[in-house]
Amino acid sequence: MISIKDLKKEYKGTTVVDVTELTIAQGESFGLVGNNGAGKTTLFRMILDLIKPTSGEVQISGKNVQTTDEWKKYTGSFLDENFLISYLTPDEYFKFVGQLHGYSDADLKNFYAVFEELFNGEIQGKTKYLGDLSKGNLKKAGVAAAFMGNPQVVVLDEPFENLDPTSQIRLKDLLKQLQRERNITYLISSHDLNHVTELCNRIVILEKGQVIKDLKGSSNILTELEEYFKA
Amino acid sequence: MIKFFLSHSWKKFSRSVSFGKEMTTTLFLAFLGVMLVGYALALGFGLNHIIIKGLKIDDSVTFLNGLLLYYFGFEFVLRFFFQTLPVLDAQPYLHLPVKKSGIVHYLLIKSMLNVINLLPLLLFAPFAFVAIAPVYGTLAAWIWLPGIWLTGIMFHYLVILFKKELDDSIWGLIILIGLFVLFGAIDYYGWFKLSDVSAFMFTAFITQPLFILIPIALSTGVYFLCYYFFRQGMYIEGMSRQKNDLYGVTKDISFLNSFGNIGAWINLELKLILRNKRPRNIFYLSLFFLSYGLAFYTRKQYAEDMPGFLLFVSTFVTGTFMINYGQFLFSWQGGHFDFTLTQPVSIRNYVEAKYWLLCSVTIICSVLSVPYVYFGWQILAMQLAAAAFNLGINVFIILNMAMWEPKKMDLKKSTVFNYQGVGAAQWLMGFPILLGPYVFYLPFSLTGYSNVGILAVGLAGVIGIVFRKKFLAITTNRLIEKRYVIAANFRKEG
């Protein structure tokens, strides 16, 4: 689904990301962990063609993200507040994103049904603008919007950050459920090792922009991760 | 503490994305400032001479005092347009052991560093010592000059207060216009003579030195009123968007949705304009500038002696929104540029939406300004030519200029403390747009065919309109090329 080749990003001589080869299969839940400054967000931004790589390329479904727009139709993403429109209410925002994906009213209704529990009555039908929402509710709105247009790939940066414990558990269960039902390919970064290991069947540790460990399928991923981060 | 504030202000300026760009405008403004100071000083030294010899008036002191109210009226307008609210992003300091009162006093006192406050000193200091001191004594001169300066300072803080409290609404503009109409009427119908009032007020400083206490009291009073309001605003909630006032009236225009993605983007941008203070003000202002023509088209001397100047007016009347809003065309939506890039819309659609938005407003302005035909068919022809030029050429210049190192607009914090004012710098960027029509007009008008010149301007516009697809494609490609740089700029704060 996603393949990265010789991807490199340098800022004034400092290498921030340097990934020789990385392939993520369709339906795989790919977790990305690493300490601050490891290059997680930069890598995600290059996958979404928001930053120009110094060299190398990213392909989604065999198409180079830099030269085509195709992938945008089936790739949902939420990295930070730059993905939200601060002067719209959540409803208007969902309607707008839905419009870009050709949503009908029924589609929009289905969408709300899926996220009703996560929204917890604090997002739908409110007249507060997104710019005035709390960080937790912003996160929920952004993550939900990433699922509009029935995407095959969903890229989320720190989806659990700022969420209250109840919402964290709900989001985790919802993400799992959606993947079961729709076979979505996830790219999720997180600092919460418990959540990310529960959600993802493959975890990559990034350090100084390089893939240090690529852990797949084994039952004791969490222990391995804890070993690494202790050091 | 003040040392830190000063150094932070400087760092904010020198480390900002557009430092180089602002440097050029700052230098240009500094140059203009020096020129202004020079002229003012020259005028100041010549003032007494001009009044006595030039206007043949013996009592130059009473005469000048009679003009001072008019001077302050002029100064007020100058201040209204060029004086920006003192800015310091206060939020990072609120939780630190820094006195809030200190922050406010710093802001207010720093705001006095303004050429306009120097103006009365430059203009009237020489007069005080040439004309007043010899007749009424040195003390009188020393009272008169500070009296005038303090009156100016009072207006300085009055404008700050005015802008801060009324800027968000169109009422500020209405009140201002109302005041000027009132004073104009008083003067015109001669209910009482403003110049007599003025002469009485300012001659008082000379006859009774104690009257200096009045401007001292007034300016101090207004200062503390400012202080009071700013101090009140020093809470985070006062800095964020306060009201949802326009939510109800800014729904989608459903007719636009039938244009697919382009319509959706235009709807989105309309919400942006109406829901956020700064773009909204620009919108109101362009409605106001529609009446700009009245100031020029009505004068016979412009129409007869310099019709070329009216072309400038036409371009401005039909294109103010395009020019003022368009300079920051991409910056307004800078807060969600990453979103724009990852959504399933082509950049072409995005650019086209902006193109149509600018064009629609320009067409509306052009239609609304048709009644100027009252002042002659010549005026209408010029308006149409200018409108065509705006729609065919200027819109693409603006679209492309707006890609030049754009900075993110902070829409969310756009109230009280974060007013990135519409100052002189932005107006400067309008020059290439306003001068463009002359490239086509002057070759003909200078050889005596000014009507052909107007036709040429219109024709250039029409050609631009005809080839719009080509220009749109070029613009789109430029945006696609520059998308990484622009996105990176927008990710930085301010």
Side-chain angles (χ1 to χ4, degrees):
Chain A
M1 196 72 206
I2 297 171
S3 72
I4 296 171
K5 279 196 200 84
D6 303 316
L7 193 68
K8 216 173 187 178
K9 181 68 193 177
E10 289 173 4
Y11 284 112
K12 290 172 189 158
T14 326
T15 308
V16 191
V17 169
D18 185 3
V19 177
T20 329
E21 174 132 42
L22 192 66
T23 315
I24 301 163
Q26 163 114 47
E28 194 165 46
S29 307
F30 178 90
L32 192 63
V33 296
N35 287 328
N36 295 334
K40 299 186 297 292
T41 308
T42 310
L43 178 59
F44 277 180
R45 281 186 179 147
M46 280 194 285
I47 291 173
L48 295 168
D49 189 39
L50 294 171
I51 291 180
K52 191 180 188 175
T54 313
S55 62
E57 66 169 48
V58 178
Q59 290 186 349
I60 300 184
S61 276
K63 302 224 170 61
N64 186 342
V65 293
Q66 270 189 273
T67 48
T68 54
D69 279 331
E70 267 292 293
W71 57 274
K72 291 180 186 171
K73 286 189 186 135
Y74 45 82
T75 307
S77 52
F78 180 65
L79 302 190
D80 52 41
E81 284 160 29
N82 289 329
F83 284 64
L84 294 169
I85 303 176
S86 62
Y87 49 89
L88 294 184
T89 66
D91 287 335
E92 288 172 334
Y93 177 65
F94 295 134
K95 194 179 162 213
F96 179 67
V97 180
Q99 241 174 333
L100 299 181
H101 283 281
Y103 264 34
S104 67
D105 286 351
D107 291 334
L108 204 60
K109 226 174 151 189
N110 286 337
F111 164 79
Y112 276 121
V114 173
F115 287 94
E116 195 182 359
E117 196 191 25
L118 180 68
F119 287 168
N120 200 25
E122 286 164 21
I123 291 177
Q124 197 186 351
K126 297 287 177 212
T127 56
K128 236 184 182 183
Y129 294 134
L130 282 165
D132 298 330
L133 289 186
S134 71
K135 289 211 159 146
N137 282 334
L138 274 184
K139 198 68 139 195
K140 290 180 194 172
V143 169
F147 282 90
M148 297 194 98
N150 208 4
Q152 293 166 40
V153 180
V154 170
V155 185
L156 301 172
D157 196 10
E158 306 272 3
F160 301 105
E161 199 188 28
N162 293 322
L163 292 187
D164 58 64
T166 309
S167 303
Q168 288 189 25
I169 293 164
R170 282 180 183 170
L171 177 64
K172 193 174 61 191
D173 292 344
L174 185 62
L175 290 176
K176 276 180 173 171
Q177 181 205 329
L178 286 170
Q179 203 208 15
R180 255 197 325 272
E181 290 170 6
R182 304 181 188 175
N183 197 30
I184 302 171
T185 311
Y186 278 145
L187 272 81
I188 292 173
S189 81
S190 183
H191 287 311
D192 191 314
L193 301 180
N194 286 311
H195 287 327
V196 81
T197 43
E198 217 177 303
L199 196 60
C200 300
N201 47 26
R202 178 183 178 192
I203 303 225
V204 157
I205 302 178
L206 214 58
E207 188 182 303
K208 289 177 185 154
Q210 291 180 322
V211 176
I212 295 285
K213 272 195 169 123
D214 192 344
L215 310 166
K216 254 184 250 188
S218 68
S219 53
N220 52 358
I221 288 184
L222 186 59
T223 354
E224 278 192 62
L225 286 178
E226 277 169 351
E227 282 301 309
Y228 166 80
F229 283 107
K230 244 183 243 168
Chain B
M1 189 175 74
I2 285 181
K3 202 179 77 195
F4 278 114
F5 284 151
L6 282 174
S7 109
H8 290 179
S9 304
W10 169 247
K11 280 176 183 153
K12 191 180 171 196
F13 172 65
S14 63
R15 292 177 182 176
S16 87
V17 185
S18 57
F19 178 61
K21 190 163 100 189
E22 278 181 2
M23 220 29 203
T24 339
T25 34
T26 309
L27 280 178
F28 186 69
L29 283 176
F31 174 71
L32 273 184
V34 170
M35 297 256 296
L36 188 69
V37 166
Y39 285 137
L41 206 57
L43 185 62
F45 274 108
L47 202 56
N48 194 35
H49 191 76
I50 293 171
I51 295 173
I52 293 174
K53 292 277 158 61
L55 301 174
K56 307 234 182 305
I57 287 162
D58 295 332
D59 190 357
S60 62
V61 175
T62 314
F63 179 75
L64 184 73
N65 281 337
L67 286 182
L68 280 176
L69 262 191
Y70 296 97
Y71 164 77
F72 282 117
F74 158 76
E75 201 196 69
F76 191 84
V77 175
L78 209 63
R79 286 180 188 282
F80 188 79
F81 282 106
F82 289 103
Q83 192 175 313
T84 47
L85 274 181
V87 175
L88 174 83
D89 198 355
Q91 205 167 326
Y93 303 102
L94 293 180
H95 70 287
L96 294 174
V98 174
K99 273 193 184 154
K100 280 185 182 176
S101 58
I103 301 176
V104 178
H105 282 304
Y106 164 77
L107 274 174
L108 290 177
I109 290 172
K110 199 186 100 177
S111 74
M112 286 219 283
L113 292 174
N114 191 324
V115 179
I116 302 174
N117 290 327
L118 206 61
L119 210 56
L121 291 182
L122 296 171
L123 280 174
F124 305 124
F127 186 85
F129 297 102
V130 173
I132 296 179
V135 185
Y136 302 95
T138 327
L139 177 71
W142 276 110
I143 294 293
W144 183 79
L145 189 63
I148 286 173
W149 186 71
L150 283 168
T151 313
I153 293 301
M154 184 193 79
F155 278 112
H156 171 84
Y157 287 112
L158 213 55
V159 167
I160 289 178
L161 203 61
F162 191 80
K163 279 201 155 186
K164 187 178 170 308
E165 290 306 309
L166 290 173
D167 206 36
D168 202 12
S169 65
I170 198 161
W171 287 107
L173 217 52
I174 292 176
I175 290 176
L176 190 69
I177 294 168
L179 274 177
F180 273 88
V181 169
L182 180 71
F183 281 112
I186 288 175
D187 213 34
Y188 185 82
Y189 293 110
W191 292 330
F192 52 90
K193 284 194 83 171
L194 271 183
S195 52
D196 288 349
V197 180
S198 175
F200 172 76
M201 279 166 62
F202 294 101
T203 311
F205 292 136
I206 296 170
T207 48
Q208 175 49 268
L210 278 180
F211 277 121
I212 185 77
L213 292 175
I214 295 174
I216 290 179
L218 281 177
S219 51
T220 320
V222 179
Y223 177 88
F224 277 101
L225 209 58
C226 271
Y227 172 80
Y228 172 77
F229 277 109
F230 272 75
R231 182 70 179 73
Q232 294 277 307
M234 289 292 266
Y235 290 92
I236 293 169
E237 54 193 6
M239 296 171 198
S240 68
R241 194 196 316 276
Q242 284 164 320
K243 286 164 285 175
N244 234 347
D245 51 351
L246 282 166
Y247 170 68
V249 287
T250 50
K251 300 278 188 212
D252 274 0
I253 300 174
S254 48
F255 137 83
L256 282 173
N257 283 334
S258 55
F259 291 96
N261 279 349
I262 295 179
W265 280 111
I266 294 180
N267 257 329
L268 180 69
E269 194 139 10
L270 287 177
K271 287 199 190 97
L272 181 150
I273 294 169
L274 293 172
R275 287 179 183 182
N276 294 286
K277 178 182 161 189
R278 196 157 160 211
R280 192 164 64 221
N281 274 354
I282 289 187
F283 180 69
Y284 288 156
L285 208 63
S286 33
L287 292 180
F288 171 68
F289 272 117
L290 266 181
S291 61
Y292 194 63
L294 282 178
F296 295 97
Y297 294 152
T298 47
R299 304 276 167 84
K300 273 275 181 294
Q301 68 261 38
Y302 289 125
E304 280 159 14
D305 303 339
M306 37 200 292
F309 177 71
L310 292 182
L311 185 61
F312 167 85
V313 179
S314 307
T315 314
F316 196 67
V317 167
T318 52
T320 35
F321 178 79
M322 185 185 264
I323 294 164
N324 285 312
Y325 183 78
Q327 296 157 29
F328 308 110
L329 200 58
F330 299 99
S331 302
W332 300 116
Q333 296 189 322
H336 53 85
F337 197 65
D338 281 355
F339 166 84
T340 311
L341 290 179
T342 50
Q343 287 303 307
V345 282
S346 64
I347 301 284
R348 172 68 183 252
N349 276 349
Y350 182 64
V351 170
E352 265 184 69
K354 298 211 172 276
Y355 168 81
W356 283 114
L357 175 80
L358 292 182
C359 285
S360 326
V361 179
T362 305
I363 291 171
I364 292 170
C365 286
S366 311
V367 171
L368 287 177
S369 60
V370 163
Y372 282 128
V373 70
Y374 178 76
F375 300 109
W377 290 102
Q378 182 81 7
I379 300 284
L380 184 69
M382 210 179 282
Q383 297 254 33
L384 288 178
F389 195 83
N390 279 331
L391 293 171
I393 311 277
N394 276 343
V395 68
F396 294 109
I397 295 180
I398 290 167
L399 274 165
N400 283 286
M401 261 177 41
M403 285 180 218
W404 185 38
E405 295 275 314
K407 263 206 299 190
K408 179 157 100 182
M409 282 286 168
D410 202 339
L411 296 167
K412 206 171 81 185
K413 284 202 258 172
S414 69
T415 36
V416 192
F417 267 86
N418 213 317
Y419 188 81
Q420 303 158 292
V422 183
Q426 282 88 340
W427 296 87
L428 290 180
M429 278 183 75
F431 279 139
I433 295 153
L434 293 172
L435 296 180
Y438 289 97
V439 174
F440 298 91
Y441 177 75
L442 283 181
F444 295 100
S445 78
L446 290 179
T447 47
Y449 300 99
S450 51
N451 284 342
V452 182
I454 288 170
L455 198 67
V457 172
L459 211 60
V462 170
I463 290 172
I465 295 171
V466 170
F467 287 102
R468 66 175 184 281
K469 294 230 158 105
K470 182 83 194 140
F471 287 131
L472 278 170
I474 294 171
T475 311
T476 307
N477 283 337
R478 277 200 67 220
L479 187 60
I480 290 173
E481 253 169 53
K482 299 192 76 170
R483 68 185 187 276
Y484 300 113
V485 182
I486 294 175
N489 272 353
F490 286 155
R491 270 179 227 123
K492 290 179 200 162
E493 288 301 321

